[in-house]
């Protein structure tokens, strides 16, 4: 497997996240986004999980898990698709009953749960009325307030767009609005279920800045290691056998540990058996095809990146280009992985 190509594949992901930070820096300054939200104080009892278990059909998602949350705790939740991550959250918040054990939630806890099922809006309401119906403002430190209008502006809804009806918003704008309906409630226990799947680059940067100053408890479900590494202190790993492991480290460290363990288990093979029915000529032909696709994607990436050099680029275009850029980078990573796998089969 060519080392140079492997390094390039890994560095591309790093380059993308550096660009993501650069885009945010050109558009909205960090000082501008420092909100110092005055989160409602948590009491001594927050959330306690006592030997909770849950099955889905014949599959045990988690069994006899016990944990007590502490003030200001930041935890990530990871596991394969279908491992029960979202179910675990719903059991913890009382949305779904546990099969055994009990969940105790402190009297002062205010949950804020962002997930992919929260786009049930009243379409004949304006953006600003949708937020104001929940709250007029968020309290800040030193008795200050962040109004609903200002919160919307900080999350890329200019005053002109705040008067638009929800029915006129794009899918991405509705997801951003859904996030704000959670934040305006000023929860002291915030749960984000796969936010990086739904939100564009610019919104994620604003959200990261918001969360860095957030003083409540934070729980994030995500496969995005950059997002997780930046915001959580430890992770719950749903291992798929009913066990939840509390890992004292970040997501990158866990993935490295897992990769090293897998490598240690693998025994070197004396010979390489090629995939039946595929000769070198066919493999090289497919590799060439993938290289052309990679070249085309890299060209489009350069074009999109160049757009962000324009200091007068409208917010709508920033959102459009950043969304496309994220899709291009995802496809590039997949093509690089495919290239590496095929290259390993060629003599």
């Amino acid at each position: 497997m060519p080392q140079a190509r492997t390094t390039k594949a890994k560095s591309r992901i790093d380059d993308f996240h550096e660009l993501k930070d650069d885009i945010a820096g050109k558009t909205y300054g960090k000082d501008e986004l420092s909100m110092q939200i005055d989160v409602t104080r948590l009491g001594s009892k927050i959330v306690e999980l006592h030997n909770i278990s849950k099955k889905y059909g014949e599959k045990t998602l988690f069994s006899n898990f016990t944990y007590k949350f502490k003030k200001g705790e930041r935890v990530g939740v990871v596991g394969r698709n279908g491992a029960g991550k979202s179910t675990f959250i719903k059991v913890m918040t009382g949305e779904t009953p546990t099969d055994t054990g009990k969940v105790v939630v402190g009297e002062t806890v205010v949950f804020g749960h962002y997930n992919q099922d929260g786009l049930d809006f009243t379409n004949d309401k304006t953006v600003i009325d949708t937020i104001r119906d929940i709250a007029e403002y968020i309290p800040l430190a030193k008795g200050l307030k962040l109004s609903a209008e200002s919160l919307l502006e900080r999350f890329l809804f200019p005053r002109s767009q705040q008067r638009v009806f929800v029915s006129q918003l794009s899918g991405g704008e509705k997801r951003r609005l859904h996030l704000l309906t959670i934040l305006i409630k000023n929860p002291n226990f915030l749960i984000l279920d796969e936010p990086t799947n739904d939100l564009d680059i610019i919104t994620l940067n604003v959200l990261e800045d918001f969360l860095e100053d957030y003083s409540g408890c934070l729980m994030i479900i995500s496969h995005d290691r950059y997002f997780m590494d930046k915001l959580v202190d430890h992770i719950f790993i749903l291992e798929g056998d009913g066990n939840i492991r509390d890992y004292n480290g970040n997501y990158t460290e866990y993935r490295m540990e897992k990769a090293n363990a897998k490598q240690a288990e693998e025994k070197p093979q004396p010979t390489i058996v090629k995939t039946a029915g595929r000769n070198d000529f066919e493999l090289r032909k497919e590799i060439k095809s993938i290289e052309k696709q990679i070249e085309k994607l890299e060209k489009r990436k350069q074009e999109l990146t160049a757009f962000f050099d324009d200091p007068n680029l409208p917010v709508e275009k920033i959102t459009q280009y950043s969304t496309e850029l994220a899709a291009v980078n995802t496809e590039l990573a997949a093509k690089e992985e495919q290239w590496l796998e095929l290259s390993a089969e060629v003599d």
Side-chain angles (χ1 to χ4, degrees), residues 36 93 120 169 261 305-306 333:
Q36 297 182 336
T93 57
D120 187 18
L169 299 180
T305 303

Side-chain angles (χ1 to χ4, degrees), residues 31-234:
D31 293 339
E32 216 178 316
L33 296 166
S34 181
M35 300 184 198
Q36 297 182 336
I37 302 298
D38 187 15
V39 174
T40 305
R41 288 180 62 85
L42 285 163
S44 57
K45 182 177 288 186
I46 302 175
V47 178
E48 298 180 357
L49 310 177
H50 298 277
N51 295 309
I52 63 168
S53 302
K54 190 68 181 178
K55 281 188 175 182
Y56 184 76
E58 296 298 315
K59 184 179 180 180
T60 300
L61 300 178
F62 45 90
S63 178
N64 298 319
F65 181 68
T66 296
Y67 193 82
K68 292 183 180 180
F69 287 88
K70 300 178 286 294
K71 291 181 181 179
E73 188 162 356
R74 293 167 169 253
V75 57
V77 181
V78 301
R80 292 183 178 179
N81 291 336
K85 302 184 293 295
S86 295
T87 302
F88 172 73
I89 297 297
K90 290 179 179 179
V91 167
M92 193 184 80
T93 57
E95 297 173 60
T96 299
T98 180
D99 292 341
T100 65
K102 65 177 180 177
V103 178
V104 180
V105 179
E107 293 181 359
T108 60
V109 172
V110 179
F111 284 118
H113 186 188
Y114 174 86
N115 56 40
Q116 298 174 50
D117 303 323
L119 298 180
D120 187 18
F121 292 114
T122 303
N123 286 326
D124 60 353
K125 278 188 179 179
T126 62
V127 170
I128 184 61
D129 286 341
T130 299
I131 298 299
R132 277 181 176 164
D133 282 354
I134 301 169
E136 292 280 349
Y137 64 88
I138 295 179
L140 301 178
K142 300 179 181 179
L144 300 175
K145 297 177 181 179
L146 181 70
S147 68
E149 291 94 339
S150 295
L151 178 66
L152 282 164
E153 283 184 318
R154 291 175 187 271
F155 278 84
L156 314 182
F157 284 104
R159 297 280 172 132
S160 59
Q161 195 179 20
Q162 293 178 22
R163 304 297 172 185
V164 167
F165 287 105
V166 172
S167 59
Q168 297 175 269
L169 299 180
S170 67
E173 288 166 341
K174 286 182 178 178
R175 287 190 287 271
R176 197 189 319 149
L177 183 61
H178 169 46
L179 173 65
L180 293 182
T181 63
I182 304 298
L183 300 183
I184 194 69
K185 296 175 184 175
N186 197 19
N188 52 22
F189 199 124
L190 183 59
I191 301 167
L192 304 175
D193 190 345
E194 297 288 4
T196 58
N197 286 2
D198 296 331
L199 302 172
D200 59 71
I201 294 173
I202 306 302
T203 304
L204 283 174
N205 272 280
V206 178
L207 179 60
E208 284 176 7
D209 288 336
F210 176 92
L211 294 176
E212 284 183 341
D213 294 327
Y214 180 71
S215 60
C217 288
L218 177 64
M219 177 173 280
I220 301 173
I221 300 177
S222 180
H223 293 96
D224 188 323
R225 65 185 178 95
Y226 290 86
F227 192 76
M228 293 277 272
D229 288 354
K230 192 171 184 179
L231 295 169
V232 306
D233 301 320
H234 66 111

Side-chain angles (χ1 to χ4, degrees), residues 304-324:
L304 289 168
T305 303
F307 288 138
F308 295 107
D309 291 331
D310 181 2
N312 300 315
L313 190 66
V315 170
E316 293 79 9
K317 288 295 183 181
I318 292 173
T319 301
Q320 176 188 331
Y321 294 148
S322 63
T323 301
E324 185 181 349

Side-chain angles (χ1 to χ4, degrees), residues 296 298-308:
K296 185 177 179 181
E298 286 178 333
K299 182 179 179 181
R300 182 55 181 162
K301 176 181 175 178
Q302 290 174 357
E303 292 171 350
L304 289 168
T305 303
F307 288 138
F308 295 107

